[in-house]
Amino acid sequence: MNDLVRAHTDLDETDLEWLHLLVSEWQLLADLSFADLVLWLPTRDGDRYISVAQMRPNTGPTSYQDDMVGHTVPRGRRPLLDAALDEGRIVREGDPEWREEVPVRVESIPVRRDSRVLGVIARNTNLLTVRTPSRLELTYLQSAADLAQMIATGAFPYPDQQGGMDRAPRVGDGFIRLDADGIVQYASPNALSAYHRLGLNADLVGLELGQTTAELAPTRGPVDESLVKLASGWAPREAEIEGADCVIQLRAIPLKPRGERIGSIILLRDVTELRRRERELLTKDATIREIHHRVKNNLQTVAALLRLQSRRIGAAGGDNPDSPANPAKVALDEAVRRVGSIAIVHETLSQNLDERVEFDEIADRVLAMVAELSPGRITHRRTGRFGVLDAETATPLSMVLTEIVQNALEHAFGPGEKGTVEVGAARSESGRGPGRLLVTVQDDGRGLPAGFDPHTSGNLGLQIVRTLVEGELGGRFEMTTAHEGGTRVIIDLPLPPAKR
């Protein structure tokens, strides 16, 4: 609709926003009218109309088998459109049209905003199945007539009611018509069933809906005046009523076809099952986050025990506990950092609603944790963005990053030397397949020794890196001497599509 309006009409952005409000609400008019709706706008040159939106009814047969959006008609070919646009009134004159042997009653409703008529809604009713209308159908049609008159005077839709609930009730979900005093004139079978689930043991017709609803709502203390006003239809509002065994969603639409409120439409829907499933999902999410929190705590406990054991080994051997010469102590310290990197991921997951993490924060924490090995000697920095990663990728990648940076700090620089370790990240997204993540870790140290092959030689840390990158992550691992000096590690990983 945006493209058609901007390309063919002189309407501004505020007019377009009003049309969007109308289109978001006009399913209600289509269902109450048992009719198709097509929105026609005059073109910039004034010689034609162009259809920019269409809605079919859920309550009756359609009058259009084809999509009408984008069609144009010359001005003068459809007199009802001309009359509604020029005179600003609803036009119903004329005999039914015949379309593919189907009689169709056509009406035109001007769409007014403030003092201007922006366009015309053509309301097309399929008359093939016309029969003696029931009380429900008569109430629907009368309510549709009131809404159409409000559209023609610019009183509908209500802007304040937009952006409310996730899915507003529809006519077929439950329908109640109130008079000006809030007394129920008609209630559909679905609406009556919903109130019976709330605890009503009588018919709704003749009751004051606001007071009845407030008495059925399980509240303590004084009556909720806002709920009384909502159910009485005094203002366009939405709310939910939670009974003992059900949750009912209510929406009130005041009817003001001539400026004064003559009554209201109350739409309602039983959302009990929907809310139950939402609560189950929230409970599941909370449980998963609690599991990650406990795993993080357990890993931190393991790291603390390993750290304590490392100190005991140094003390028992008569060495300085902080000396790097003791192989057992070095191995335990490396294990502490490996466990710590996994704990960082679980800590992040415990704070999220899904199994995805912002890995840039994790990378920064891993760099800071490993840099504690050489305080004051090594400068570390990160460039680029890792972005959001699934837990299945984040956990092994955090270990890989820990091992590579730790390896650089231990072997790239001699005792007392200062240097820099830089971690870079670059993502490439693909619309047709999985994207890729390119991670580089480069230092300005002494470089690789002659004849060193990272795929066959190296310590336990490099073995862990190869196993995780090539085996678990399905990526590529390279380790070379950089042209400008130092060592460069390149990790190229496929990124699985985001889970929905």
Side-chain angles (χ1 to χ4, degrees):
M1 187 169 75
N2 288 349
D3 295 339
L4 291 173
V5 170
R6 290 166 180 156
H8 298 280
T9 76
D10 286 327
L11 299 182
D12 58 27
E13 292 301 315
T14 55
D15 295 331
L16 180 57
E17 180 62 26
W18 182 261
L19 295 179
H20 275 292
L21 293 177
L22 174 65
V23 169
S24 69
E25 295 281 18
W26 70 344
Q27 180 72 64
L28 174 63
L29 178 62
D31 291 345
L32 291 174
S33 304
F34 307 97
D36 291 77
L37 306 178
V38 179
L39 178 58
W40 295 92
L41 301 179
T43 56
R44 187 175 290 110
D45 55 19
D47 294 335
R48 296 169 297 151
Y49 297 97
I50 183 168
S51 60
V52 298
Q54 178 180 2
M55 178 58 66
R56 293 184 173 89
N58 293 318
T59 53
T62 183
S63 302
Y64 289 109
Q65 299 299 325
D66 299 326
D67 185 8
M68 293 296 297
V69 175
H71 285 213
T72 60
V73 295
R75 185 176 172 87
R77 177 172 296 180
R78 297 192 177 182
L80 297 186
L81 293 181
D82 298 339
L85 183 68
D86 297 338
E87 302 173 20
R89 65 180 180 89
I90 298 176
V91 182
R92 298 188 177 93
E93 296 89 352
D95 296 328
E97 296 181 0
W98 287 84
R99 300 174 186 166
E100 298 180 357
E101 300 183 355
V102 176
V104 177
R105 182 175 64 242
V106 181
E107 304 167 87
S108 295
I109 305 168
V111 177
R112 185 181 298 274
R113 176 177 175 265
D114 298 330
S115 60
R116 298 168 51 232
V117 176
L118 306 182
V120 179
I121 294 177
R123 181 163 56 175
N124 304 270
T125 307
N126 187 324
L127 301 178
L128 191 62
T129 59
V130 169
R131 61 184 187 280
T132 302
S134 63
R135 186 180 178 190
L136 179 145
E137 293 169 330
L138 290 174
T139 306
Y140 277 13
L141 292 172
Q142 180 57 53
S143 301
D146 294 334
L147 282 177
Q149 188 61 43
M150 292 171 64
I151 293 174
T153 59
F156 187 82
Y158 292 105
D160 294 340
Q161 203 173 27
Q162 302 302 313
M165 297 189 174
D166 49 1
R167 179 181 179 273
R170 295 190 175 185
V171 171
D173 296 326
F175 174 88
I176 297 175
R177 174 72 186 241
L178 306 180
D179 64 12
D181 297 322
I183 306 300
V184 178
Q185 293 180 314
Y186 176 80
S188 70
N190 284 345
L192 186 58
S193 297
Y195 267 83
H196 284 169
R197 285 190 286 276
L198 282 174
L200 181 68
N201 296 320
D203 193 1
L204 274 172
V205 176
L207 297 180
E208 185 179 344
L209 189 65
Q211 189 65 34
T212 300
T213 303
E215 292 172 354
L216 293 173
T219 58
R220 296 179 180 178
V223 174
D224 188 347
E225 293 296 333
S226 62
L227 182 58
V228 173
K229 290 185 177 181
L230 166 69
S232 298
W234 288 99
R237 294 288 184 270
E238 297 177 347
E240 286 187 0
I241 305 171
E242 187 164 353
D245 300 312
C246 66
V247 181
I248 304 299
Q249 183 178 341
L250 288 182
R251 182 187 180 192
I253 304 172
L255 296 176
K256 303 176 181 179
R258 292 177 292 276
E260 297 294 330
R261 192 176 70 89
I262 64 169
S264 305
I265 293 173
I266 304 295
L267 301 178
L268 62 156
R269 180 168 66 116
D270 188 343
V271 293
T272 305
E273 185 63 20
L274 177 63
R275 297 297 175 254
R276 184 188 66 81
R277 292 181 180 178
E278 288 178 350
R279 284 193 291 268
E280 287 181 351
L281 288 175
L282 289 174
T283 301
K284 179 181 178 182
D285 288 340
T287 301
I288 292 174
R289 290 198 298 273
E290 178 62 21
I291 290 173
H292 284 302
H293 180 71
R294 295 190 181 189
V295 169
K296 182 263 298 183
N297 289 344
N298 291 338
L299 289 173
Q300 288 180 339
T301 301
V302 171
L305 293 174
L306 291 174
R307 193 177 296 111
L308 179 61
Q309 188 66 42
S310 171
R311 293 172 181 171
R312 289 289 185 89
I313 288 177
D319 298 328
N320 182 354
D322 296 324
S323 173
N326 191 318
K329 182 182 183 303
V330 171
L332 286 176
D333 289 341
E334 291 178 352
V336 168
R337 285 184 287 275
R338 288 165 186 151
V339 172
S341 66
I342 302 175
I344 291 174
V345 177
H346 283 282
E347 181 179 4
T348 306
L349 288 169
S350 69
Q351 301 169 1
N352 292 349
L353 293 177
D354 55 11
E355 292 291 289
R356 294 166 63 78
V357 296
E358 182 67 52
F359 197 80
D360 296 300
E361 177 185 353
I362 294 176
D364 292 340
R365 294 180 62 181
V366 166
L367 282 172
M369 178 184 67
V370 178
E372 293 178 357
L373 286 171
S374 306
R377 288 200 307 115
I378 305 301
T379 301
H380 61 85
R381 61 174 176 265
R382 173 179 59 84
T383 60
R385 293 191 69 252
F386 288 87
V388 178
L389 300 178
D390 291 333
E392 291 85 348
T393 302
T395 301
L397 183 58
S398 67
M399 290 191 64
V400 167
L401 195 59
T402 300
E403 297 297 336
I404 294 176
V405 175
Q406 180 173 306
N407 188 74
L409 296 182
E410 291 180 355
H411 302 289
F413 310 101
E417 292 182 350
K418 294 186 177 181
T420 301
V421 176
E422 179 176 312
V423 175
R427 292 180 69 128
S428 60
E429 305 294 343
S430 174
R432 297 181 179 179
R436 301 197 72 83
L437 174 64
L438 183 66
V439 181
T440 59
V441 180
Q442 182 165 336
D443 61 65
D444 55 357
R446 66 187 70 174
L448 296 176
F452 181 82
D453 185 356
H455 294 282
T456 58
S457 57
N459 55 22
L460 175 62
L462 288 181
Q463 295 177 22
I464 292 175
V465 170
R466 289 196 299 269
T467 300
L468 292 177
V469 172
E470 299 173 355
E472 187 165 345
L473 295 175
R476 178 174 59 86
F477 165 68
E478 292 184 5
M479 190 174 188
T480 60
T481 298
H483 296 296
E484 58 273 25
T487 302
R488 175 180 296 162
V489 177
I490 299 175
I491 300 171
D492 187 6
L493 305 176
L495 291 177
K499 296 180 180 179
R500 299 297 182 186

